[in-house]
Amino acid sequence: MSERSDLLGKHIVLGLTGGIACYKSAELVRLLVKAGGTVQVVMTEAAQAFITPVTMQALSGRAVATSQWDVREANNMAHINLSREADAILVAPASADFMAKLAQGRADELLSLLCLARPRERCPLLVAPAMNREMWSHPATQRNAQILSDDGSLVLGPDCGDQACGEVGDGRMLEPQTLLEELIAFFQPKVLRGQRVLITAGPTFESIDPVRGITNHSSGKMGFALARAAVEAGAVVTLVAGPVNLPTPRGVRRIDVMSALQMHDAVLPLATQHDVFVATAAVADWRPASLSQHKIKKEGKKVAPTFELTENPDILAAVAALPDAPYCVGFAAESEHLLEHARAKLLRKRIPLIVGNLGPATFGRDDNALLLVDATEHRELPEHGGTADKLDLARALMLELARRMKLPAALS
Ligand code: CTP
């Protein structure tokens, strides 16, 4: 993926408490800075037993705060100064002991002190637990995690898997890349909060015989970017994906299919359980009328085999025709006359919005240019021409959808 600056202008206080996962926080600082954020690291005494402040200073470009008694603070109020300039405080790793402290509102060293002193309405607290599985599953820790959530903090993870102690289970800190994505998502406006969004993505594969088939160049990147943007905007997302080689965006329920018929059969029963349906998939229009049971062999034949094609169902049109249809958005991949073709599809499929793009220019790429077309108007995204990263376009499209659906969060 291209270099992104999703945290530009954001100032993060990154708190480290005692745990072997501290070594991962070095990578996390690097990622936060790379994403455009400024990072002030605060370390407890226990954290400094695992990784030195020198490492964290070198990576963040700022002296690490370790004590509330630092005489270099002019007003001697490090806890106030640090928490007033932060856009968010992320404690990663958060030990079981530190979570207990937060839950009780204790403040006997700098990090817990500044968490307690933060202005809660504008400086959110996110915690990424990291501990042995027995410690995590202990009722006391579970109680504390619940208290933190009830108090308005966001508990990220933990992950399940191998632990430093050799055991396997819940308690690993989320990977740095995941924590970065969680933080970026946290800052996105929740314009689709509570909405259920269904998305199709990628190509379909229509089998000719057990080893061959008909497919197309769709990479699925636009659909996957839309799924990620929808989750970031607060939606519950189901993604029905054709054969693509892409990781599932965090928080997305993914259903893998191969053919247009499978995609149709997966989508139709789900459609009315969703508020929005976005069809980005490049569905094959035709499939071989019959499937050869075995590989079609050359066997010295000079004449190429021929096979009949039969039309696939139009998934988008079928969803749009349902009595209780969700808000339907189509995609039109064209090679010329984008506006005319896109509007013709809008009318033919009886949908309120279609997004045109030039297929050959966008398939497989990280950027795209969109043309939003409804019955009476059209407008470009990005607004002033050129192309933009697919994730940025996906976020803009989610906002556009929320406005068109007159969702309260998008109108305020
Ligand atoms: N679509 C669909 N099911 C199909 C074909 C298309 O759901 N069998 C959806 C696509 O996901 C996209 C929109 O319809 O959102 C436009 O698809 P496209 O193939 O470009 O349109 P067609 O109607 O097939 O027109 P043509 O192939 O002639 O361009």
Side-chain angles (χ1 to χ4, degrees):
M1 193 191 264
S2 54
E3 285 286 316
R4 302 190 47 86
S5 312
D6 288 314
L7 293 179
L8 204 64
K10 298 291 184 206
H11 182 67
I12 312 299
V13 167
L14 176 65
L16 274 67
T17 69
I20 186 62
C22 277
Y23 83 93
K24 290 189 185 176
S25 302
E27 173 69 2
L28 177 59
V29 175
R30 216 179 59 82
L31 293 176
L32 296 174
V33 171
K34 229 173 141 191
T38 52
V39 183
Q40 173 62 59
V41 176
V42 180
M43 295 173 76
T44 64
E45 199 182 326
Q48 294 169 62
F50 289 91
I51 189 168
T52 70
V54 175
T55 303
M56 301 308 278
Q57 177 172 356
L59 292 170
S60 65
R62 285 169 174 250
V64 172
T66 55
S67 164
Q68 78 249 41
W69 311 124
D70 189 339
V71 290
R72 286 168 303 177
E73 290 287 334
N75 59 358
N76 214 293
M77 294 190 192
H79 61 300
I80 300 294
N81 305 342
L82 290 167
S83 61
R84 295 306 179 268
E85 57 186 27
D87 290 300
I89 300 172
L90 169 60
V91 181
S95 66
D97 180 60
F98 194 76
M99 288 175 66
K101 259 182 169 178
L102 287 178
Q104 287 183 9
R106 280 163 53 199
D108 59 356
E109 42 68 53
L110 180 58
L111 187 56
S112 52
L113 181 59
L114 78 90
C115 288
L116 193 67
R118 79 188 204 283
R120 289 191 308 285
E121 67 291 348
R122 66 176 171 81
C123 178
L125 176 62
L126 299 88
V127 292
M131 64 199 74
N132 165 269
R133 66 191 173 101
E134 298 291 0
M135 294 168 77
W136 171 250
S137 65
H138 194 285
T141 307
Q142 290 298 307
R143 236 176 5 248
N144 291 333
Q146 189 59 48
I147 291 173
L148 293 187
S149 297
D150 293 346
D151 286 351
S153 303
L154 191 60
V155 179
L156 303 172
D159 222 344
C160 183
D162 291 338
Q163 303 211 300
C165 51
E167 297 179 5
V168 179
D170 285 336
R172 279 166 61 96
M173 188 172 83
L174 293 180
E175 292 302 322
Q177 181 64 36
T178 309
L179 286 174
L180 171 73
E181 284 171 20
E182 287 281 0
L183 193 61
I184 290 169
F186 180 79
F187 284 122
Q188 298 306 313
K190 305 296 169 214
V191 292
L192 291 178
R193 196 189 295 282
Q195 296 292 304
R196 293 155 304 173
V197 178
L198 177 64
I199 298 171
T200 61
T204 63
F205 184 92
E206 312 300 324
S207 293
I208 297 169
D209 68 17
V211 297
R212 303 184 183 91
I214 303 170
T215 187
N216 59 63
H217 286 305
S218 168
S219 64
K221 284 183 179 174
M222 192 68 228
F224 275 60
L226 283 163
R228 175 173 167 183
V231 170
E232 289 178 346
V236 174
V237 180
T238 310
L239 176 64
V240 179
V244 293
N245 188 17
L246 292 173
T248 311
R250 207 170 144 72
V252 168
R253 170 188 173 208
R254 173 174 175 172
I255 300 168
D256 283 319
V257 297
M258 287 295 275
S259 66
L261 279 181
Q262 287 172 354
M263 188 173 275
H264 174 272
D265 292 350
V267 165
L268 264 287
L270 290 174
T272 51
Q273 299 166 24
H274 290 77
D275 306 292
V276 183
F277 175 50
V278 188
T280 69
V283 183
D285 290 317
W286 298 281
R287 67 179 182 278
S290 60
L291 173 70
S292 171
Q293 281 300 93
H294 297 288
K295 188 182 174 195
I296 303 169
K297 304 291 286 177
K298 279 207 294 293
E299 283 164 353
K301 285 182 210 138
K302 290 278 174 267
V303 189
T306 55
F307 44 85
E308 240 180 83
L309 293 172
T310 184
E311 197 172 348
N312 274 325
D314 187 320
I315 302 166
L316 176 56
V319 171
L322 291 171
D324 201 10
Y327 187 93
C328 287
V329 183
F331 265 67
E334 306 295 343
S335 59
E336 57 171 0
H337 306 308
L338 193 51
L339 179 57
E340 292 90 311
H341 285 315
R343 185 153 289 137
K345 281 178 192 175
L346 175 98
L347 300 175
R348 195 165 69 239
K349 299 185 189 226
R350 297 174 186 273
I351 53 175
L353 179 66
I354 193 151
V355 182
N357 58 172
L358 293 171
T362 182
F363 280 168
R365 295 180 57 102
D366 287 330
D367 61 342
N368 200 357
L370 305 180
L371 186 68
L372 273 50
V373 182
D374 65 18
T376 53
E377 292 172 357
H378 66 275
R379 79 176 180 94
E380 289 179 356
L381 269 182
E383 271 169 22
H384 305 295
T387 64
D389 186 272
K390 285 181 176 174
L391 183 56
D392 291 324
L393 290 170
R395 287 176 183 154
L397 193 56
M398 290 303 134
L399 183 59
E400 175 78 21
L401 282 185
R403 285 197 185 123
R404 284 175 183 263
M405 293 170 72
K406 301 198 167 30
L407 300 177
L411 300 176
S412 57

